[in-house]
């Protein structure tokens, strides 16, 4: 699937859920395949609403069974690293969090991941939409356990 096809698919999923995007937001949906070239299996579609020095808000769209690989948000410039809360809007999300094990989240359920904590997540058979609320996002600095991953 091309990036354009993935962007269109993510936009359609959000629209079906009643989440309205501006034309610019739709155009800027980030398609993250983590440099692996297996987007249907490993990847994430991201809409960033705001990312300031203090807060970040995003929509994460996961296609059926798509997963975001294990990573952590390390300390940066004397700050402890990104703290993020995932709130599931649609579908089921299987979250693996170091120290907490497996967490299954359905619509309306949420979970907060502490800074510098290894975690990964995967959508169920119907895909998922997750709203992420966090401290500043510095995705390029995320540390992945798979050395082949490029962000």
């Amino acid at each position: 699937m091309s990036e354009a096809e993935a962007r269109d698919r993510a936009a359609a999923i959000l629209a079906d859920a009643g989440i309205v995007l501006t034309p610019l937001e739709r155009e800027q949906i980030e398609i993250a395949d983590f440099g692996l070239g297996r987007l249907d299996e490993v990847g994430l579609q991201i809409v960033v609403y705001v990312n300031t020095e203090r807060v970040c808000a995003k929509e994460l769209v996961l296609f059926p069974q798509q997963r975001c690989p294990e990573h952590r948000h390390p300390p940066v410039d004397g700050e402890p690293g990104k703290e993020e809360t995932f709130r599931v809007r649609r579908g089921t999300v299987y979250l693996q969090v170091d120290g907490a094990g497996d967490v299954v989240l359905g619509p309306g359920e949420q979970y907060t991941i502490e800074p510098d904590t290894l975690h990964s997540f995967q959508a169920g058979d119907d895909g998922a939409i997750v709203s992420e609320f966090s401290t500043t996002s510095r995705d390029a600095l995320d540390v992945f356990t798979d050395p082949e991953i490029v962000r």
Side-chain angles (χ1 to χ4, degrees), residues 7 25 28-32 44-48 139 151:
R7 191 170 289 108
E25 288 168 336
Q28 293 180 344
I29 295 173
E30 179 186 353
I31 307 302
L44 188 59
Q45 294 64 230
I46 306 165
V47 176
V48 178
D139 291 338
R151 187 72 171 97

Side-chain angles (χ1 to χ4, degrees), residues 11-146:
I13 289 168
L14 290 165
D16 185 57
I19 298 171
V20 178
L21 299 180
T22 67
L24 183 60
E25 288 168 336
R26 187 187 187 292
E27 180 182 308
Q28 293 180 344
I29 295 173
E30 179 186 353
I31 307 302
D33 77 351
F34 303 102
L36 300 177
R38 303 188 324 256
L39 185 62
D40 283 338
E41 175 191 346
V42 182
L44 188 59
Q45 294 64 230
I46 306 165
V47 176
V48 178
Y49 294 124
V50 63
N51 187 22
T52 69
E53 291 182 20
R54 296 179 53 193
V55 300
C56 182
K58 303 177 181 180
E59 299 290 359
L60 310 177
V61 177
L62 293 127
F63 300 145
Q65 295 296 316
Q66 193 179 40
R67 68 182 171 87
C68 179
E70 185 176 65
H71 65 285
R72 62 186 175 84
H73 308 287
V76 177
D77 296 331
E79 296 182 14
K82 182 170 91 168
E83 175 182 298
E84 58 191 340
T85 297
F86 289 163
R87 183 176 178 90
V88 175
R89 300 298 184 181
R90 179 174 277 187
T92 303
V93 173
Y94 300 91
L95 180 62
Q96 294 80 42
V97 182
D98 192 36
D102 296 336
V103 178
V104 180
L105 300 174
E109 296 180 313
Q110 65 185 44
Y111 188 89
T112 299
I113 302 165
E114 297 298 319
D116 205 25
T117 301
L118 277 175
H119 61 286
S120 64
F121 50 98
Q122 180 171 0
D125 292 337
D126 296 324
I129 299 172
V130 178
S131 294
E132 176 191 313
F133 309 97
S134 71
T135 54
T136 301
S137 181
R138 296 176 180 96
D139 291 338
L141 301 178
D142 291 351
V143 177
F144 288 85
T145 55
D146 181 344

